[in-house]
Amino acid sequence: ASNGGNDVQGAMVRAEGQNITLSNMRFENNRVDDLDDYSDHSPSEVYHSNWGRELWAGANGILVARNISVEHSRQPNSVPEVYSVAAIDLARPGSTLVFVAGTHLYLDSIRVEDADDGGLVVGSDSIWVSNVVLKDVGRVGFLMGRNELPQAAPYYSFRNIHIENVDASDNFLTPQEQWGSNQALLFVDVRAAYFGIPPTIEFENVTATGCDGMRHLFNFYEGVTLRVRNCVFWNNTYQQLLEWDDPITQTWEYNILQEPVPGIGNQVGVDPLFDEELGIPWLSPISPAIDAGNPALVYNDIEDLDNPGFALWPSQGTTRNDIGYTGGPHAGTLEHLVAVRAPRPEPLAQPEAFVLRPAFPNPFNPVTTLGYVLNRPLQVELSVYNVLGQKVRTLVSELESAGEHHVRFDASELASGVYIVELTAGGESRTQKILLLK
């Protein structure tokens, strides 16, 4: 047992390579049995924590994952947390999914529901995560592994995340070691500074509720710059909101919180009033979270083109950011994750020839991914313009097959600002705005 026991990683699927794209994967009703005996777990022993039981994906360069779903993932015998003097480490929670990349990690539309042990392990120099549901997950939501030699200033963005019922369990940590517990909504291991620049972690439009038994909601082993905007943290049971080894810089703006923190626009102890019929995280029409987020235009909800000035469902009210999972510029793509009854226009007589997907991430620095879907082979031109109407890049100009396509746009040599993406095909065009922030 002292050698780590049974190391269970990538039990269902394992993917490795230079640059990886994964999409449209479903894992359901799988079970992994760890045969180690933890009844007398000595502090001198460290067991493998069984990361990535459903999917383990690692790329040396860029990793993109979209539409990954996990339901009813079973590992009944979970590795308990324990501090090891020999290994100077922690036996820690496992996870259902692992996504690690050398330079850039992009995750969109990820769902983990009803998993015995752990949600997502993520790691890279730069991470953009959006449209994620973690519901009824044991012990930890996101766990960010070590990165002691970053190749660029680390930046981590978490947007439109719904975390519900992440429940902690008993551990073997002594009272003096409880600060190191990995059981949290977000646990961050060693994330070293890059030439003195600490990692930046941004939480935007996150709803976290019903999480129970944790010492802390956030834990950081190293100093970071934490920015929390337009989020709902409600009805969670924990001892303290934040825990860190080194000092952190934190900014809390326009959130609904259970306790006061320094910042502006925060509502403390205010019930977010989730919809009684649709349930969490959908807001009722009288929720104090509607139109209460950061008023800066960059955080605006998507506008309903049929009702100018009003937000597109699942956002509500005007286009000012709603606080929580259903608000902000990424909220228009949430419904493929959570089926709800929502206002819908009459269906078109004929399907659209093509669809331009929202850029991800957006805002970005300096790389974003542009996606589009064609319903038949078409001559396609995908271009980027500045606000003066000058074309700065032609990304695609050729006949392409039906189906989903993704194009990486690297704007390293361009100045910060708003750019227009235009997709032309079949005699029609679609446009969207993207924001480069350096």
Side-chain angles (χ1 to χ4, degrees):
S2 61
N3 64 0
N6 296 281
D7 183 12
V8 184
Q9 292 191 18
M12 305 303 160
V13 175
R14 187 179 182 100
E16 294 183 89
Q18 180 60 37
N19 298 310
I20 297 176
T21 298
L22 302 170
S23 62
N24 304 325
M25 303 178 71
R26 183 181 181 88
F27 301 83
E28 187 172 0
N29 296 324
N30 295 312
R31 173 177 172 136
V32 172
D33 286 317
D34 185 336
L35 303 179
D36 288 318
D37 180 4
Y38 302 122
S39 60
D40 185 21
H41 201 342
S42 167
S44 65
E45 298 169 348
V46 171
Y47 289 75
H48 290 292
S49 53
N50 300 342
W51 284 1
R53 298 186 311 276
E54 305 284 352
L55 169 63
W56 194 103
N60 295 324
I62 299 171
L63 194 158
V64 178
R66 190 174 190 276
N67 285 346
I68 311 293
S69 176
V70 177
E71 292 184 64
H72 316 310
S73 178
R74 293 286 169 264
Q75 185 193 332
N77 187 28
S78 299
V79 181
E81 286 189 301
V82 61
Y83 183 78
S84 166
V85 176
I88 316 299
D89 203 350
L90 288 166
R92 54 184 54 168
S95 72
T96 59
L97 300 172
V98 168
F99 300 102
V100 292
T103 58
H104 296 81
L105 174 63
Y106 303 97
L107 301 181
D108 181 53
S109 304
I110 310 293
R111 180 168 66 98
V112 177
E113 188 165 348
D114 186 22
D116 282 350
D117 189 34
L120 276 68
V121 171
V122 294
S124 182
D125 281 351
S126 297
I127 299 175
W128 288 270
V129 180
S130 69
N131 300 349
V132 171
V133 172
L134 301 174
K135 185 175 181 180
D136 299 322
V137 173
R139 302 205 290 178
V140 64
F142 289 97
L143 190 151
M144 299 175 65
R146 293 177 179 270
N147 185 11
E148 297 180 355
L149 296 172
Q151 303 302 304
Y155 174 77
Y156 313 114
S157 172
F158 298 85
R159 292 177 177 156
N160 292 99
I161 312 294
H162 172 49
I163 305 175
E164 184 178 357
N165 298 340
V166 175
D167 292 331
S169 65
D170 294 337
N171 59 67
F172 285 81
L173 297 171
T174 67
Q176 294 79 15
E177 295 156 357
Q178 287 292 328
W179 68 271
S181 171
N182 292 188
Q183 300 186 62
L185 299 187
L186 174 68
F187 170 78
V188 180
D189 202 343
V190 176
R191 315 299 296 184
Y194 178 75
F195 290 100
I197 303 174
T200 296
I201 299 176
E202 294 193 333
F203 262 56
E204 294 178 2
N205 290 104
V206 175
T207 293
T209 184
C211 301
D212 186 43
M214 298 175 178
R215 176 183 168 101
H216 37 246
L217 291 189
F218 297 83
N219 190 5
F220 308 97
Y221 273 10
E222 299 289 334
V224 301
T225 297
L226 176 67
R227 300 169 183 161
V228 184
R229 302 187 187 95
N230 311 318
C231 296
V232 174
F233 295 95
W234 177 254
N235 195 31
N236 302 294
T237 303
Y238 56 88
Q239 295 181 29
Q240 57 197 62
L241 184 63
L242 295 166
E243 189 146 24
W244 61 87
D245 194 13
D246 290 342
I248 68 169
T249 301
Q250 53 181 309
T251 303
W252 297 74
E253 299 177 336
Y254 301 95
N255 304 288
I256 291 179
L257 303 168
Q258 296 172 222
E259 61 185 86
V261 297
I264 61 172
N266 297 308
Q267 303 179 52
V268 180
V270 176
D271 190 330
L273 296 178
F274 296 114
D275 192 285
E276 292 184 359
E277 185 175 358
L278 299 179
I280 301 170
W282 310 99
L283 303 174
S284 74
I286 59 172
S287 169
I290 295 173
D291 292 343
N294 193 310
L297 296 181
V298 68
Y299 302 109
N300 266 11
D301 300 332
I302 297 174
E303 186 176 38
D304 185 346
L305 297 181
D306 295 327
N307 296 282
F310 293 91
L312 181 69
W313 176 269
S315 302
Q316 299 182 60
T318 69
T319 56
R320 177 171 170 173
N321 197 318
D322 291 348
I323 296 175
Y325 173 72
T326 58
H330 290 276
T333 60
L334 293 175
E335 283 188 86
H336 64 282
L337 283 178
V338 182
V340 298
R341 288 181 294 133
R344 284 298 184 201
E346 291 297 321
L348 299 174
Q350 296 293 331
E352 289 186 296
F354 63 95
V355 174
L356 177 61
R357 294 195 183 281
F360 176 71
N362 185 26
F364 67 102
N365 177 29
V367 179
T368 188
T369 298
L370 306 175
Y372 52 95
V373 183
L374 308 179
N375 73 349
R376 63 181 186 275
L378 288 170
Q379 182 69 33
V380 170
E381 180 165 322
L382 180 66
S383 301
V384 180
Y385 296 83
N386 61 23
V387 292
L388 299 178
Q390 301 165 327
K391 184 184 293 187
V392 298
R393 187 78 58 82
T394 297
L395 300 174
V396 178
S397 182
E398 60 186 39
L399 179 66
E400 293 205 312
S401 61
E404 186 153 352
H405 302 266
H406 298 277
V407 179
R408 182 174 179 268
F409 174 43
D410 188 337
S412 300
E413 81 286 3
L414 298 177
S416 296
V418 175
Y419 292 86
I420 309 298
V421 176
E422 181 179 52
L423 176 66
T424 301
E428 300 180 21
S429 65
R430 307 282 188 274
T431 62
Q432 66 170 292
K433 293 181 181 180
I434 57 177
L435 177 62
L436 173 59
L437 293 176
K438 292 186 175 180

